[in-house]
DNA sequence: TTGAAAGCGCTACCAT
DNA sequence: ATGGTAGCGCTTTCAA
């Protein structure tokens, strides 16, 4: 049987309440007793029992807030599903969730959402937001007020944020490059379509992609790099224009959303089957493109896991006082038609 | 707050003990009261609280036995790691593990191991064994004696086995075919190396592979199919012989273990870079072949997950009486050099 | 500053 | 057949 708080109390010659207070620094314990108890706990390798912890926690239910974008695609719906699965598995320990979805990337609406969640009395927040100074400042402020924030899907530059749960964008770019190398396109003449030059994740994906190609000494050239605002229509427009201008393109790389638009332009240009498109994330649109054969493979980032782990990790921090790792990276997943 | 056993007792006008007995069919409750209580629990959507359950379960610790092969490669060590992770996360609910490793595929040693585990008083068994009549019979017997068995990694034909936790071998074969299609080998002239013609998993992998190629109308031909007993030396020997005999081979498919041997033969024949090898499972040997470039991609089956889920699922069945799904399939994972 | 005790949900044992 | 109760590990409140 594992060491319990009772064992420590007996060993220290004090009551269980005193041990509890000492181990959690709740005060009301003499410095001498506190240090002795902590040392004993260490020596005896005390690990609080989660069942007992959970049972006691039922008295003061805990809520975690989630700030998530509501996009046209279903990516974040998977994050929601993951978060709900975590909630389900922790419901017996008194966890509740509070969602706040935002429509745009407008920082004002994100700040408002953060404040609203904090105002509802949540114990902590999981946020998929944007890495801007005003957001970071608010996160730092919330953290100081005792409401820790976990960045989900989009990493925040240092701002006291508890942890980052998401993928390594650079690595996903490298993997896309690896796939291109496997495809054996003799001399890749690339067209890159990104969401925005200001999106860090997209830039990292492009960086990783090009780095890997350079490292492999692939005889490839980037003919142009377009922006589409993660919008399918815009993606269609700019890609069509570029393909007309650059008929030698034989491979496309879509770093953000908008793959469906790119696919439409490629199809229209009669390049289907001759110019593979490399895209990201398993959402219905990219899925369709794989089944159609326009996209040979997609590199995914496990949105379900991101929601699941973010909630779990934050809960464990709030309920058990565990320190989460600074970054929890979800494994990239390669999908082709056969495992979609 | 969720519905507790207390709420049901109050609603039914009986004591908590009676509700507990009724819901678990422990007897000592009048048929009338029992059915009334069960109906109430249903109506009120009673879900036992896992923390309470776990705490009470600490009084009578539960052990799960594991029967696993000890092979030359590290595949099953990952299964062990997964099982140990599950144990760790359930230790607070009173779970212990008992391992029994077997050296060979000899059914006698497996039967002996099963009996030994049962003799140690384990509450249930996770077994990666072989699908033979004598094994199935023993599994059925153990199940009747109240010791449920979960098949891990290798499925057992119907024998009362609680569940199967592992991959869909046919699907992994289809995925390997998908990768071959992506590689754009113009006219694949295949050499297939399998572990044994009697290993169901290997056969299914070959089936799935060929089915998918046929479905895609790939202009490919299978020049020969070799057996290597999952042994690298034997694999080297038979592959070398076959490559000498069939110089037109331009692609190899290794359905079981032995990829390192196949790789050595390919290297020696000067086919490195010209005849890709498709292989399974992320173990040091296949890893090395990917890094060397002999294997463009491997299809993996998440051994860690298999150990983790098998233990978790069996525990939930034993401790909470949950019925697990008949098959828990781990997702296949494609690995290339960039995400290894 | 410290101890004692109640209570979270559930099971098990002992009375009735 | 049923009720009452102790106890699993932990937190929290009240009393000293």
């Amino acid at each position: 049987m594992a060491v319990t708080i009772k064992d420590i109390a007996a060993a220290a010659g004090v009551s269980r309440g005193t041990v509890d207070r000492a181990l959690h620094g709740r005060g009301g314990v003499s410095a001498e007793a506190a240090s002795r108890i902590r040392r004993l706990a260490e020596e005896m390798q005390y690990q609080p029992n989660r069942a007992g912890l959970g049972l006691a926690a039922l008295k003061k239910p805990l809520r975690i807030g989630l700030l998530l974008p509501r996009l046209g695609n279903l990516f974040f719906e998977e994050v929601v599903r993951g978060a709900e699965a975590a909630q389900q598995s922790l419901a017996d320990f008194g966890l509740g969730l509070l969602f706040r979805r935002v429509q745009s990337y407008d920082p004002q609406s994100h700040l408002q959402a953060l404040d609203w969640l904090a105002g509802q009395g949540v114990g902590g927040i999981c946020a998929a937001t944007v890495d801007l100074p005003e957001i970071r400042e608010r996160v730092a402020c919330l953290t100081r007020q005792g409401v820790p924030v976990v960045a989900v899907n989009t990493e925040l530059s240092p701002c006291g944020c508890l942890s980052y749960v998401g993928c390594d964008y650079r690595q996903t770019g490298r993997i896309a490059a690896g796939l291109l190398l496997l495809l054996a396109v003799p001399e890749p003449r690339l067209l890159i379509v990104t969401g925005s030059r200001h999106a860090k994740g997209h830039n990292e994906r492009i960086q990783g992609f090009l780095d890997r190609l350079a490292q492999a000494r692939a005889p490839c050239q980037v003919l142009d790099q377009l922006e589409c605002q993660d919008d399918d229509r815009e993606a269609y427009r700019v890609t069509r224009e570029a393909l007309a201008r650059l008929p030698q393109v034989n491979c496309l790389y879509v770093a953000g959303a908008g793959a469906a638009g790119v696919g439409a332009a490629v199809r229209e240009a009669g390049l289907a089957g001759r110019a593979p498109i490399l895209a990201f994330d398993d959402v219905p649109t990219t899925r369709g493109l794989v089944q159609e054969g326009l996209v040979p493979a997609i590199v995914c980032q496990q949105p379900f896991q991101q929601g699941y782990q973010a909630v779990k990790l934050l809960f464990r921090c709030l309920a058990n006082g565990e320190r989460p790792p600074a970054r929890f990276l979800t494994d990239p997943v390669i999908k082709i038609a056969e495992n979609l």
Side-chain angles (χ1 to χ4, degrees), chain A:
Chain A
M1 186 67 86
V3 175
T4 75
I5 216 169
K6 215 159 137 185
D7 300 325
I8 299 184
V14 298
S15 75
R16 299 179 309 179
T18 305
V19 173
D20 182 61
R21 286 187 292 265
L23 292 182
H24 293 88
R26 293 192 226 278
V29 183
S30 71
E32 187 270 327
S35 77
R36 187 161 47 95
I37 289 168
R38 271 196 296 271
R39 195 163 42 75
L40 266 169
E42 181 85 18
E43 277 172 17
M44 299 170 73
Q45 304 192 47
Y46 168 68
Q47 285 284 96
N49 180 294
R50 291 172 48 234
L53 221 47
L55 212 40
L58 280 183
K59 294 182 194 173
K60 47 159 183 49
L62 179 68
R63 274 190 315 169
I64 284 179
L66 291 105
L67 161 55
L68 297 175
R70 188 193 303 283
L71 297 183
N73 70 47
L74 295 177
F75 184 86
F76 281 103
E77 310 313 316
E78 271 300 292
V79 178
V80 169
R81 279 194 47 231
E84 282 171 342
Q87 193 273 330
Q88 195 120 43
S89 85
L90 292 170
D92 290 342
F93 301 137
L95 174 66
L97 295 185
L98 185 59
F99 287 95
R100 171 79 183 229
R101 306 294 297 266
V102 289
Q103 297 288 349
S104 71
Y105 281 122
D106 165 39
Q108 281 310 315
S109 66
H110 285 227
L111 288 175
Q112 207 179 328
L114 284 173
D115 289 341
W116 181 80
L117 286 169
Q120 295 292 313
V122 298
I125 295 175
C126 297
T129 179
V130 279
D131 188 23
L132 293 171
E134 54 266 48
I135 301 276
R136 291 200 294 269
E137 197 187 328
R138 192 66 52 100
V139 166
C141 173
L142 285 168
T143 304
R144 276 194 301 275
Q145 288 169 20
V147 180
V149 178
V150 170
V152 186
N153 186 261
T154 304
E155 191 161 15
L156 295 178
S157 306
C159 62
C161 185
L162 186 66
S163 184
Y164 164 61
V165 177
C167 74
D168 176 340
Y169 285 94
R170 187 163 275 114
Q171 193 200 8
T172 59
R174 289 175 57 83
I175 293 173
L179 289 168
L180 175 57
L181 293 171
L182 282 189
L183 290 177
V185 176
E187 287 186 22
R189 292 180 295 275
L190 273 159
L191 183 62
I192 295 180
V193 184
T194 187
S196 155
R197 284 184 213 281
H198 302 299
K200 197 163 71 166
H202 298 178
N203 291 340
E204 289 180 357
R205 271 189 185 148
I206 295 173
Q207 268 299 312
F209 182 73
L210 297 177
D211 282 356
R212 179 70 186 96
L213 290 178
Q215 184 192 358
R217 298 182 214 288
C220 83
Q221 40 181 319
V222 177
L223 300 183
D224 202 356
Q225 187 162 334
L226 319 171
E227 271 182 295
C228 73
Q229 313 308 328
D230 284 334
D231 179 73
D232 278 321
R233 265 197 254 177
E234 180 67 2
Y236 169 71
R237 209 183 56 74
V238 297
T239 308
R240 190 173 69 152
E241 182 275 326
L243 288 178
R245 181 160 47 82
L246 303 161
Q248 69 273 42
V249 165
N250 65 357
C251 177
L252 296 94
Y253 181 65
V254 187
V262 173
V266 166
R267 207 181 294 124
E268 193 180 299
L271 286 171
R274 293 191 296 130
I277 306 170
L278 290 165
F280 292 94
D281 294 339
D282 179 11
V283 290
T285 48
T286 54
R287 221 164 228 268
L289 293 170
V290 171
Q291 270 141 7
E292 192 185 340
L294 282 173
V295 170
I298 48 183
V299 182
C300 313
Q301 54 170 319
Q302 308 213 68
F304 182 95
Q305 276 290 316
Q306 291 179 6
Y308 186 87
Q309 296 295 346
V311 167
K312 203 133 200 179
L313 181 147
L314 182 51
F315 178 81
R316 287 222 275 250
C317 169
L318 292 169
N320 310 3
E322 290 179 27
R323 290 299 301 174
R327 311 176 89 209
F328 183 102
L329 298 179
T330 53
D331 279 335
V333 170
I334 299 171
K335 297 217 174 170
I336 61 178
E338 287 76 12
N339 68 335
L340 217 52

